[in-house]
Amino acid sequence: MKVERKCKIVSKEQMGDAIYMTLECGDMVRTSFKAPGQFVHVKCGEGLLLRRPISVCSCQEDEPQDLLTIVFEVRGEGTQWLANRPVGHSLDVLGLAGNGFTMKPEGRYLLVGGGIGIPPMLGCAQYTSGKSTAILGGRSKDKIILTNCFEDECAKVLVATDDGSLGHHGFVDALVHQELSENNNYDAVLACGPKPMLRNVAKVAEEFGIPCQVSMEERMGCGVGACLVCACDMADGSRKHVCKDGPVFDSKEVDWNA
Ligand SMILES: Cc1cc2nc3c(=O)[nH]c(=O)nc-3n(C[C@H](O)[C@H](O)[C@H](O)COP(=O)(O)OP(=O)(O)OC[C@H]3O[C@@H](n4cnc5c(N)ncnc54)[C@H](O)[C@@H]3O)c2cc1C
Ligand code: FES
């Protein structure tokens, strides 16, 4: 059950170009957590500004209030407003929304995060029991965040940067290919990041016959399936709502040429 809550900002930290924010969220995790990869829809502004979707990085049931962390970059007016909120301020948050990744705690996953798609993969890493591998990618080393947290939760962490300033010089799909060539004993590849990255990762997973789930990023309006702003083209010609049917889809469902 998705709920609307006033959530107090209890900490806020700059992390590279991103802001890492922890919120007290009442019983939101207890009542609406389904799986890692869900998002919250945060009212970003006092006026008529719409809510903005931000992925849950990690969340936990707690007393007296559940805790959730979000990590975001400033892109425009809404995220700038959010970045300016001080610790102690209460945000109007709708969540937890969306489906999340289909995964089992005892499973072994290849977790692939690109840029601001890295944080939600940490929730996936925390959900499993240390057997997964994380592949983190970004334009340069400043975009590679939370590496220590992934190292605590995963058996292996690999990094790729477009400019070669950290790890492999190139895109994450090359590392996905390398890892699956050496060891393809994974239950699934799970990925979050820009669409071209997701398309390439899905292609590699398919080549190795490993199931792949992708978290799609579309602009959103209502966030509850009522406005079609977030429609995503599917391979069978249908259109699905990223907010209600996603944001996570089986990579074979998505029309990558749309
Ligand atoms: C399910 C989901 C999860 C997300 N999780 C995160 C997250 O964890 N951290 C994070 O930093 N961002 C995340 N985003 C993206 C975030 O929602 C947008 O950056 C934000 O809505 C921009 O709002 P704004 O008012 O600041 O900028 P706007 O003024 O609305 O837009 C600024 C620029 O960003 C582009 N833009 C806006 N929204 C999107 C989008 N969804 N996809 C691609 N381009 C967009 C616009 O076209 C414009 O060029 C997520 C989006 C979705 C759909
Ligand atoms: S954002 Fe309105 S239908 Fe998805």
Side-chain angles (χ1 to χ4, degrees):
M1 187 190 58
K2 186 162 51 184
V3 288
E4 192 174 338
R5 286 260 179 285
K6 290 286 177 205
C7 296
K8 190 161 108 183
I9 302 170
V10 290
S11 75
K12 183 180 144 185
E13 193 186 319
Q14 192 75 37
M15 197 174 265
D17 293 334
I19 291 167
Y20 179 94
M21 201 178 251
T22 304
L23 308 175
E24 276 179 354
C25 60
D27 61 357
M28 193 180 274
V29 180
R30 277 166 275 175
T31 53
S32 56
F33 176 80
K34 287 184 198 159
Q38 289 181 276
F39 67 96
V40 283
H41 217 196
V42 185
K43 197 168 173 215
C44 288
E46 315 294 347
L48 291 173
L49 258 190
L50 288 173
R51 292 175 181 276
R52 296 292 183 257
I54 305 287
S55 300
V56 174
C57 169
S58 63
C59 64
Q60 66 185 70
E61 294 181 13
D62 212 336
E63 288 294 340
Q65 297 217 37
D66 298 341
L67 293 172
L68 78 84
T69 57
I70 53 174
V71 183
F72 61 93
E73 283 184 2
V74 172
R75 289 283 154 80
E77 203 183 336
T79 43
Q80 182 64 66
W81 182 90
L82 191 56
N84 290 344
R85 290 318 93 196
V87 170
H89 180 93
S90 282
L91 299 170
D92 183 330
V93 179
L94 193 66
L96 304 172
N99 54 359
F101 291 96
T102 303
M103 56 193 301
K104 300 178 288 214
E106 67 279 14
R108 180 166 186 259
Y109 299 93
L110 187 55
L111 309 174
V112 188
I116 204 63
I118 292 175
M121 302 323 293
L122 181 61
C124 296
Q126 288 167 338
Y127 191 72
T128 58
S129 45
K131 288 186 280 182
S132 296
T133 295
I135 298 184
L136 314 177
R139 285 202 299 278
S140 66
K141 65 178 180 194
D142 306 334
K143 299 286 180 187
I144 310 295
I145 53 174
L146 301 165
T147 320
N148 294 346
C149 303
F150 279 97
E151 280 165 355
D152 289 346
E153 304 290 347
C154 293
K156 196 200 276 190
V157 179
L158 301 169
V159 171
T161 49
D162 302 359
D163 66 359
S165 52
L166 192 66
H168 168 77
H169 187 172
F171 298 138
V172 287
D173 48 291
L175 290 181
V176 174
H177 195 283
Q178 178 190 305
E179 179 60 21
L180 293 180
S181 310
E182 287 168 10
N183 177 355
N184 65 5
N185 186 19
Y186 287 99
D187 291 299
V189 175
L190 312 179
C192 184
K195 196 169 175 182
M197 179 203 106
L198 297 180
R199 186 199 296 121
N200 292 342
V201 169
K203 219 164 121 187
V204 178
E206 190 165 351
E207 199 183 314
F208 285 87
I210 312 270
C212 178
Q213 299 169 45
V214 291
S215 179
M216 302 299 288
E217 242 209 38
E218 296 287 345
R219 286 208 64 122
M220 281 192 191
C222 67
V224 292
C227 73
L228 272 181
V229 167
C230 67
C232 176
D233 292 310
M234 297 286 124
D236 66 0
S238 67
R239 304 189 86 198
K240 287 197 172 169
H241 295 109
V242 169
C243 67
K244 190 167 62 80
D245 308 315
V248 178
F249 296 95
D250 186 310
S251 64
K252 291 200 172 116
E253 273 189 275
V254 177
D255 178 0
W256 294 107
N257 300 315

